[in-house]
Amino acid sequence: MPKVIAVLGVGPGLGLSIARRFDREGFTTALVSRTETRHASYRESLSGTTHTYAADVTDPAQVEAVLARITAEAGELDTVYFGPADIAGPRPVPLPSAGADAVRAAFDAIVSPAARLVEAVLPGMLERGSGSLLFAGGLSGKYPMPMLGSLAPASAALRMYVLTLNAALRETGVYAGALTIGGLIERGDIHRELTKQDHGFAMGTLDPDDIAEKAWSLYVERDVAEAEFTAMAAV
């Protein structure tokens, strides 16, 4: 039976590139995004067996339900990719003016869904003694980037969550890895939106296919917990 990867938070940028990279290795792909609007085009771009689902990855009940559907229709999950970046998600608020609610909103959109996802899928992986968990996060979780304001603490928490999870899972057969990204991902929704107008800061672009290739290397080699990508002039 083919292995199964679930791509949660799939979009036309990195999520789809991740799906294509694992599809080339014979994986069955299960793609999850907020709406079904672009699912037909996603399926057309993949050569193997693909399932598509509409669910909000920040809603615990919807995530639980969609994971159950994926398992029933595609099979046990070998790999889960979680990409929380969403143009509809919380916008950065400068930290000097951000209150607790703004900071908490980023945690609710980024960190809590990641932890709930792990809570749902990790027990089965541990029981089998195999599996992989891949998470995309922001470089503001590693270096101070004031323009990302209230999003930075959540990025830092997600990064450390994944790195600590990686260390805790050694010798279990289950791998956790972080893709730490600084820059706009080409073809993605956020890239398209931010390049429409001047937001007062410049960010370079990154090719999602390059990031997906590294994600595959993390999956295969499992010797490091993190891969960093930056198109920033200085951090």
Side-chain angles (χ1 to χ4, degrees):
M1 291 288 292
K3 293 181 178 180
V4 179
I5 180 172
V7 180
L8 278 73
V10 67
L14 182 53
L16 188 56
S17 287
I18 293 283
R20 286 172 173 161
R21 184 62 187 87
F22 280 75
D23 173 74
R24 293 207 306 269
E25 301 296 333
F27 276 66
T28 292
T29 55
L31 312 183
V32 182
S33 58
R34 286 179 182 270
T35 72
E36 299 177 349
T37 304
R38 297 180 289 198
H39 284 178
S41 65
Y42 294 166
R43 289 192 296 269
E44 289 174 359
S45 71
L46 297 164
S47 60
T49 301
T50 302
H51 303 261
T52 51
Y53 306 88
D56 181 349
V57 300
T58 68
D59 184 304
Q62 291 189 43
V63 170
E64 181 179 358
V66 79
L67 289 173
R69 285 188 60 195
I70 292 171
T71 300
E73 297 172 8
E76 293 288 344
L77 291 172
D78 172 81
T79 301
V80 175
Y81 164 82
F82 178 69
D86 189 338
I87 196 66
R91 299 300 177 94
V93 178
L95 278 184
S97 58
D101 287 346
V103 175
R104 186 177 63 230
F107 273 77
D108 289 344
I110 296 171
V111 184
S112 296
R116 284 193 293 264
L117 177 62
V118 171
E119 183 180 21
V121 302
L122 183 56
M125 291 180 175
L126 289 173
E127 184 176 351
R128 296 192 305 271
S130 66
S132 295
L133 302 157
L134 299 172
F135 300 84
L139 198 62
S140 64
K142 185 175 181 180
Y143 302 103
M145 300 174 72
M147 69 277 200
L148 294 179
S150 55
L151 300 183
S155 294
L158 177 64
R159 176 176 179 268
M160 188 50 62
Y161 176 75
V162 178
L163 298 186
T164 305
L165 187 62
N166 174 279
L169 292 174
R170 289 173 187 162
E171 313 303 328
T172 68
V174 181
Y175 171 79
L179 304 168
T180 301
I181 300 166
L184 296 176
I185 297 176
E186 295 170 3
R187 303 193 296 272
D189 290 330
I190 294 176
H191 174 263
R192 185 185 68 248
E193 183 67 22
L194 292 184
T195 52
K196 286 180 180 178
Q197 53 188 304
D198 182 6
H199 286 262
F201 59 90
M203 294 183 73
T205 61
L206 296 165
D207 186 337
D209 293 340
D210 293 340
I211 301 174
E213 186 63 41
K214 185 60 179 180
W216 176 253
S217 295
L218 292 180
Y219 171 83
V220 172
E221 296 171 7
R222 301 175 177 233
D223 56 347
V224 295
E226 179 181 27
E228 181 179 313
F229 310 86
T230 182
M232 312 292 288
V235 292

